[in-house]
Amino acid sequence: MSILPDFVRRWRGARLACAVLLSLLGAVPAWALTATQALQMATGDTEARIAAINAALPDADERTRAFLDALANDAVKATEHAAYVMDGDGAQAHDPVTGAPVALPVDAEDVINNNALRAVLDTARAALQLRSSDEAARAAAADALMKDPAEARLPLIEQALAQEQSSRVRARLELARATTLLASPDAAHRLQAAQLLQQARDPDIKLLLNEQLGREDDPKVKAAIAAAIAHIDAGLAWGERLGVLFTGLSLGSILLLAALGLAITYGLMGVINMAHGELIMVGAYATYVVQALFQRYLPAGAFDWYLVAAVPIAFGAAALVGAVLERGVIRFLYGRPLETLLATWGISLMLIQAVRSLFGAQNVGVENPAWMSGGWQALPNLMLPYNRLVIIAFAAAVLAGVAFLIARTRLGLFVRGVTQNRAMAACMGVNTARTDTYAFALGSGIAGLAGCALSQVGNVGPDLGQSYIVDSFMVVVLGGVGQLAGTVVAALGLGLANKLLEGWAGAVLAKIAVLVFIIVFIQKRPQGLFALKGREA
């Protein structure tokens, strides 16, 4: 009998046994988080716990992530021998390594985290997002590591760099690696980091370099850090300049909206309307009322559209108040500017008191829709808020609409005709009284639109209009009475001048300097920037 079949059977049996053994070994789970690591992260002094947290990051798995979350949420208890994660209301617990339910020992005590540990836990949890499939999450994690550098996290950053495909995230990771080297005890690493960070254009990097410069004792590294700060300052300078120009343009657009209605009521009609600021207030409160109605009676998803509905309502409310004001008071005072001034000043006080009686003396809150919240990060140190961008575009749209109305419509023709020669317009069949009412209502409605826009950038209160009435008159007078182009140039010019001077002399002195300039300018050129010429004058 041959022994070969018996040998084959034995060999096959041994191979099967090995396969079964290997499969059983493979079925035993291998956890990156160990019980010792969990205990070290939960107990001991602050420095030891921080070191344990950082050491666990390079090989962190889902169990590590879950344990860090539990630590951050104060859901961990520990004894001298083990750490436990609490479930729900704390009645039950589970093992942080295996996830299996365990009986909580009687001597288990709450794990307390101080502010330093909470900061490290937040950064560590963010760092684990470097493995996320979401590019934005990985970029945010890199930014978090950059703002809180620790050399123990360097392997985690280098591991993420080796796997990262996105150029944007890689750039953030390179900065995070450089800031991590900046915190190294090795002077050569700190010197290398300072040289790498020279090309950064980030205020957070500059802050880290300034902090390191204060505690640096190596002369070479100190000089390299100072040079890096100088390079960053030069790169950030344009962002600061553009930021000043944008804030000046934003202020100018607000002044334009506030003064555009006055350019019609005062510039074209010659009425000194001291209640113009209160018409702006009416538009702001109309926006507040629309917001309250949307919140109370419409679904939550419709709230983002309340501002679209508020625009025509703010215009209509202010135009209605203006029409009543013109028909009830102003039409009896044409040609008597001083009496118009006194009458409208008294009406402004009445409107303020009426609003206080209806809505209270305190400011009311008007929220931005979701699409106007946040901003566009144009440069590392330049954020352009969406609400300001929308107001600039809104001011341009209102200006275009007013220009078209005045220059291209029948109402605009009547307004220009009555303004230039009331008697001749009446002889031509123009109803001058109705035209006056329409023109005054139009100017008042535009003031209401200004109030709608202002509600998105500041507080809404009974005194809202008082902050803009003087500036509105300055814009109209500086630009030239009755000149729409002059109103635009004056509003944008005053906005830019205010913001440019604020950076040099402060807000109060800037306001005084602008006022003095306007007084001197009007003394030299009473007709303003754009004077009427020829037969129009």
Side-chain angles (χ1 to χ4, degrees), residues 167-483:
S167 58
R168 182 173 73 94
V169 179
R170 283 189 65 84
R172 306 307 292 172
L173 284 171
E174 291 287 358
L175 288 177
R177 180 179 180 277
T179 57
T180 302
L181 291 174
L182 191 65
S184 171
D186 188 346
H189 286 172
R190 299 198 302 275
L191 180 62
Q192 179 189 1
Q195 293 168 346
L196 290 173
L197 292 173
Q198 279 193 1
Q199 304 305 318
R201 296 294 181 266
D202 196 313
D204 292 329
I205 299 293
K206 179 184 173 182
L207 179 62
L208 287 173
L209 287 171
N210 276 318
E211 291 175 354
Q212 183 63 32
L213 185 64
R215 57 176 178 261
E216 184 58 59
D217 52 4
D218 187 286
K220 290 184 179 179
V221 178
K222 205 165 189 175
I225 292 175
I229 292 173
H231 276 82
I232 292 175
D233 282 335
L236 294 176
W238 271 110
E240 294 173 359
R241 296 188 190 108
L242 292 175
V244 172
L245 291 177
F246 176 77
T247 54
L249 180 62
S250 175
L251 177 59
S253 65
I254 290 173
L255 290 177
L256 176 60
L257 280 172
L260 204 53
L262 195 64
I264 295 175
T265 57
Y266 176 59
L268 293 181
M269 301 179 65
V271 175
I272 303 177
N273 182 17
M274 295 302 294
H276 181 76
E278 281 56 56
L279 294 170
I280 295 175
M281 176 194 67
V282 168
Y285 271 97
T287 305
Y288 167 72
V289 170
V290 173
Q291 172 194 257
L293 292 174
F294 266 67
Q295 288 175 330
R296 178 171 298 183
Y297 297 110
L298 293 179
F303 179 78
D304 285 343
W305 299 102
Y306 90 88
L307 193 60
V308 177
V311 169
I313 293 175
F315 178 88
L320 179 61
V321 173
V324 172
L325 177 60
E326 196 279 335
R327 295 306 296 169
V329 178
I330 301 296
R331 71 188 181 100
F332 302 109
L333 302 175
Y334 285 122
R336 291 182 283 177
L338 182 59
E339 295 179 23
T340 306
L341 184 150
L342 293 174
T344 54
W345 177 65
I347 291 170
S348 73
L349 298 179
M350 293 171 60
L351 289 173
I352 291 174
Q353 189 56 49
V355 166
R356 283 177 177 163
S357 300
L358 287 172
F359 299 98
Q362 301 299 321
N363 292 339
V364 297
V366 179
E367 301 178 21
N368 290 136
W371 50 274
M372 285 182 67
S373 302
W376 173 46
Q377 192 73 44
L379 293 172
N381 61 331
L382 178 60
M383 170 74 79
L384 305 183
Y386 289 138
N387 58 349
R388 297 279 180 172
L389 291 170
V390 170
I391 288 175
I392 291 172
F394 181 66
V398 172
L399 174 63
V402 171
F404 177 81
L405 189 67
I406 295 297
R408 300 294 181 184
T409 66
R410 186 179 182 83
L411 175 61
L413 177 63
F414 286 173
V415 169
R416 287 183 285 120
V418 171
T419 301
Q420 294 174 18
N421 194 324
R422 179 178 294 270
M424 183 61 71
C427 292
M428 297 296 293
V430 177
N431 188 331
T432 57
R434 183 184 300 169
T435 301
D436 289 336
T437 304
Y438 287 162
F440 200 90
L442 174 63
S444 302
I446 295 171
L449 293 179
C452 181
L454 288 172
S455 69
Q456 302 300 303
V457 294
N459 295 322
V460 175
D463 299 323
L464 171 67
Q466 300 295 311
S467 305
Y468 293 96
I469 182 64
V470 175
D471 288 338
S472 298
F473 272 105
M474 286 196 301
V475 168
V476 174
V477 172
L478 180 63
V481 175
Q483 295 297 307

Side-chain angles (χ1 to χ4, degrees), residues 94-120:
H94 66 264
D95 187 286
V97 177
T98 64
V102 294
L104 187 66
V106 178
D107 60 341
E109 297 181 352
D110 291 331
V111 174
I112 306 299
N113 301 315
N114 57 26
N115 290 337
L117 275 165
R118 290 191 182 280
V120 171

